[in-house]
Amino acid sequence: DGKIYKEAIGEVQEVIDVCDFATGLSRQLNGQYIPSERPNHTIIEAYNPLGAIGVITAFNFPCAVLGWNAAISLVCGNVQVWKGASTTCLTTVAITRIMAEVFEANNLPGAIVSTAMGGGRDIGERIINDQRLSLISFTGSTQVGRRVSEIVHRRFGRTILELGGNNAVIVMPDADLELVIRGS
């Protein structure tokens, strides 16, 4: 996606870090037993997986956004279909393959995280309209996010929307402009 090498390495490290965080979090997903005001009743709070979810990511953070979504979602017991940006399809395939290898090495199906490849709108439309996907996480433009929200909420699905980022850069007067240009 055009990142400088150091930033790309940092993004991969972020995925590793969020996976470590999610692993620790998995030990804290406890339910609760809560006394009820009704005699001889107890309220039981339990976490239940949503099932299958869809993740649609933008080009600017092709690894990290999936990592944020996948790590937490997976420890909660969900499976997912990921549609990466059309411009970062090699990254999408590589990350999916690495995750599948990790699952298979631990006697789990590699398809727990699957990838849908193809033209942005064609595949995206199928994902947001698929009623088997109880939650859609979308990162991208506000205009497309509004459409995702309308379609998914029409079927009473859930969404996580990260919209309208433009990767602003604040350049201080004493900044090395050559470094700023290379990093932008």
Side-chain angles (χ1 to χ4, degrees), residues 51-75:
I53 69 164
V55 179
I56 303 172
T57 59
F59 73 95
N60 55 344
F61 289 96
C63 298
V65 175
L66 175 71
W68 303 332
N69 282 275
I72 304 299
S73 172
L74 290 166
V75 301

Side-chain angles (χ1 to χ4, degrees), residues 5 29 35-36 63 66 70 74 79 85 88 103 113 124 129 141 161 165 170:
Y5 179 75
L29 296 175
S36 173
C63 298
L66 175 71
L74 290 166
V79 298
T88 60
F103 290 129
V113 177
N129 282 289
S141 73
L161 304 171
I170 298 172

Side-chain angles (χ1 to χ4, degrees), residues 5 36 41 45 48 58 60 65 79 97 102 108 122 124 133 138 141 147 167-168 183:
Y5 179 75
S36 173
H41 284 81
E45 179 186 81
N48 295 299
N60 55 344
V65 175
V79 298
R97 185 173 178 185
V102 169
L108 294 167
D122 295 338
L133 302 173
F138 172 80
S141 73
R147 178 167 170 68
N167 297 329

